[in-house]
Amino acid sequence: MTKQADVVVIGGGITGTAVLHELAKYNLRAILVEQEPELAAGTTKANSAVLHAGFDAPEGSIKARMNVEGNKLYHDLKDELDLQIRWSGSFVVAMDDEQMAVLRDLLKRGQDNGVPGLEIWDGDAVRKSEPNVSKDIKGALWAPTAGICWPFGLALAFAENAVVNGAEILRECTVTDIIVEQGAVKSVETDQGSIETKYVINAAGIHADEISHLAGDNSFAIHPRKGEYILFDKTAQKNLVYSPIFPTPTKMGKGILVCATTHGNVFVGPNAQDMNDDEKDNTAVTISGMDETLEKARRLVPNIPVGAAITEFAGVRAVSSTGDFILGPSKITKGLIQAAGIQSPGLTSAPAIAKYLTDAIVREMGAVKKSDYKKGRPAQPCFRMLTNADQRALIAKDSRYGRVICRCETVTEGEIVDAIHRPVGARTVDGVKRRTRAGMGRCQGGFCGPRVIQILSRELHIPITKVRKEMKKSYMFYDKETQSGGKA
């Protein structure tokens, strides 16, 4: 394979897909490469799913500017791309006078950053809004412009719109080298072949420093920081909290929060564990981490029932050596554009980062907007949310919508087939899960898992033994013939 592109985006997380979406508005040939079978398989799938208001980042930092602008952009994108966002507002709570002083500092910082509507509430006002929080809470910073979202869904929406508008996505495509001649990018080499290009946007997340090194830029390092979470059954946790409840932040981050999801679950986490540089892909959860997460979450919301937990997971954050986002052209290699060190509030900042980087390329190349640019993306039926009449009409059109595969979440065969054949379709069990919620309920795929595997095998025209959970080598069954089975 030899391809040509004006811009190659490396990394299929929220930043990379947002950049591709923005590039696809212009007459540019844009290709995104992702090493895994699914997009958003790294930090994007395992974070707190909060769209931050923008009061936390230091005034004048790139994080602060991108956060506030990104939050505003999501308000416009929500309807355009049919994004799962609930503008819930958020609380940062204080337990004593010292922490109340920190809240006042955050209020001032947020106002300086241009965050609207911030207020300090007393403890009684907080408990009136969130009845299940601790009686020991003295006060809180209320941020009405914050929200919660479905991060995988956001990344997928960006990607689908980009593909509809002519962008290309290469999955299971690992970058092996970046060819630089006379100080400028010439091509991206992958295990699928070469892509000739003048611009590379490095959105490789936890591995962004390694990609930068391939292009001859060693100006920064990315260090891994792991955070562990516990997710609770939505039926057991109904109405526990409505908004994200944060503790007073520390130098290690925003702290262990209690938060609802857009689907009705509640989770607690993350803790913060600095990892060795050779542990960038270590997403194992630990007993000590679970104990810490529960203990600190219960300081905010005491009545968290452990018996309602349905799964635990961890994500790794990309902590930059600079302490801020690393955005813009490399000072070493012409054509290399960095989008590195994108930790919190990276999810919120993604559309602003995309616009900032794309605008620079557009100016330099003299690109113009497409006259035939298509907004939105193909509709995605959600059977359980339809009226009875609409459900009957959908079943009459396609009988597969009458076969429920996932009982916990009422997901039908029709929805799973649609998820597989969308512009950026599911290739794995977890890909189906994150697009449809099949396997996200109380039984965690115990009932529907085998049927999902069968449907993937049938629709992708692959043997059962080639169906994977999520990553390249995470085969669901051991394949004796090829010896390629087992966990990644």
Side-chain angles (χ1 to χ4, degrees):
M1 175 197 78
T2 299
K3 291 179 175 286
Q4 287 78 38
D6 295 310
V7 187
V8 174
V9 181
I10 300 176
I14 188 65
T15 303
T17 53
V19 169
L20 191 71
H21 163 255
E22 195 67 27
L23 289 169
K25 297 177 181 179
Y26 295 86
N27 62 333
L28 295 167
R29 294 171 299 173
I31 297 176
L32 181 146
V33 296
E34 165 56 44
Q35 66 178 347
E36 299 298 343
E38 298 290 352
L39 298 179
T43 304
T44 301
K45 74 173 183 187
N47 61 69
S48 300
V50 176
L51 296 178
H52 295 285
F55 55 79
D56 190 66
E59 182 187 3
S61 65
I62 301 174
K63 284 183 180 180
R65 180 157 57 96
M66 294 296 136
N67 186 348
V68 175
E69 183 180 341
N71 182 288
K72 292 177 181 177
L73 289 171
Y74 273 122
H75 279 77
D76 297 328
L77 290 166
K78 180 180 184 294
D79 291 335
E80 179 183 329
L81 292 177
D82 190 26
L83 304 178
Q84 293 184 39
I85 296 174
R86 175 158 64 80
W87 297 111
S88 60
S90 69
F91 290 101
V92 179
V93 301
M95 300 293 187
D96 53 38
D97 291 339
E98 184 177 350
Q99 291 184 353
M100 287 297 296
V102 174
L103 297 190
R104 289 189 286 273
D105 290 342
L106 290 176
L107 173 66
K108 173 65 166 55
R109 186 186 302 171
Q111 291 169 339
D112 291 341
N113 287 347
V115 180
L118 296 174
E119 296 176 350
I120 299 288
W121 291 14
D122 64 25
D124 289 339
V126 177
R127 281 181 286 275
K128 185 176 181 181
S129 178
E130 294 283 358
N132 291 311
V133 301
S134 170
K135 62 180 178 57
D136 297 325
I137 289 174
K138 188 176 180 66
L141 175 64
W142 164 245
T145 58
I148 59 176
C149 68
W150 176 223
F152 179 89
L154 268 56
L156 194 63
F158 286 137
E160 288 189 337
N161 173 264
V163 169
V164 166
N165 283 287
E168 186 175 359
I169 295 176
L170 302 177
R171 290 184 275 176
E172 297 189 68
C173 184
T174 300
V175 173
T176 57
D177 201 3
I178 297 175
I179 304 302
V180 176
E181 294 180 4
Q182 297 180 336
V185 168
K186 291 298 179 183
S187 69
V188 175
E189 303 300 310
T190 78
D191 58 2
Q192 291 187 23
S194 179
I195 309 172
E196 297 174 358
T197 186
K198 292 183 178 180
Y199 291 95
V200 170
I201 296 181
N202 175 16
I206 198 71
H207 298 288
D209 53 350
E210 299 161 34
I211 294 296
S212 187
H213 295 170
L214 291 177
D217 185 342
N218 300 312
S219 61
F220 65 90
I222 299 295
H223 304 292
R225 180 176 293 163
K226 184 166 72 173
E228 298 169 279
Y229 295 85
I230 304 172
L231 181 71
F232 298 93
D233 181 11
K234 63 184 180 182
T235 57
Q237 295 303 307
K238 189 175 181 180
N239 299 325
L240 187 67
V241 295
Y242 180 81
S243 303
I245 311 295
F246 290 91
T248 306
T250 69
K251 65 179 181 179
M252 289 294 285
K254 296 178 176 68
I256 291 172
L257 67 148
V258 180
C259 187
T261 73
T262 56
H263 299 112
N265 301 82
V266 168
F267 69 86
V268 298
N271 57 0
Q273 305 171 44
D274 284 326
M275 311 293 286
N276 296 325
D277 287 346
D278 61 354
E279 296 182 283
K280 287 184 175 182
D281 297 311
N282 179 359
T283 56
V285 296
T286 63
I287 293 175
S288 60
M290 295 297 96
D291 288 343
E292 177 193 10
T293 299
L294 274 174
E295 189 269 327
K296 291 184 178 178
R298 282 173 164 166
R299 296 178 189 176
L300 307 178
V301 179
N303 60 330
I304 296 174
V306 180
I310 55 175
T311 192
E312 301 82 32
F313 62 95
V316 181
R317 302 163 230 173
V319 181
S320 75
S321 55
T322 69
D324 202 349
F325 294 163
I326 302 167
L327 296 182
S330 164
K331 296 179 180 179
I332 308 297
T333 304
K334 184 178 180 181
L336 175 64
I337 300 174
Q338 309 287 13
I342 312 299
Q343 61 179 124
S344 182
L347 175 64
T348 316
S349 302
I353 291 171
K355 191 173 187 306
Y356 174 75
L357 297 181
T358 298
D359 285 352
I361 291 175
V362 166
R363 286 193 301 269
E364 191 159 335
M365 295 191 68
V368 297
K369 283 196 172 182
K370 293 176 178 175
S371 59
D372 59 349
Y373 172 75
K374 304 176 186 67
K375 290 187 175 183
R377 56 181 175 139
Q380 185 173 2
C382 182
F383 187 81
R384 65 184 174 277
M385 300 299 292
L386 299 176
T387 65
N388 289 340
D390 287 340
Q391 287 178 345
R392 287 193 294 270
L394 191 58
I395 293 169
K397 184 177 180 181
D398 186 340
S399 63
R400 292 174 297 188
Y401 284 94
R403 291 193 285 272
V404 174
I405 303 300
C406 173
R407 292 181 179 178
C408 296
E409 297 289 328
T410 317
V411 180
T412 66
E413 182 178 358
E415 291 167 276
I416 294 170
V417 171
D418 174 74
I420 294 169
H421 295 293
R422 292 184 65 77
V424 186
R427 292 184 178 177
T428 68
V429 172
D430 282 1
V432 169
K433 177 173 72 173
R434 297 192 183 106
R435 287 168 176 82
T436 67
R437 290 192 60 79
M440 281 195 170
R442 180 71 187 177
C443 81
Q444 288 290 287
F447 176 81
C448 64
R451 286 291 291 123
V452 171
I453 292 170
Q454 289 177 327
I455 295 169
L456 278 163
S457 173
R458 182 189 73 206
E459 298 297 320
L460 296 176
H461 306 290
I462 58 175
I464 286 283
T465 53
K466 297 300 182 185
V467 175
R468 292 167 291 186
K469 184 179 186 297
E470 177 183 30
M471 302 300 191
K472 273 187 177 181
K473 296 182 180 180
S474 59
Y475 295 96
M476 299 298 295
F477 299 96
Y478 180 71
D479 188 339
K480 184 176 181 180
E481 182 178 349
T482 63
Q483 300 292 302
S484 60
K487 294 184 178 180

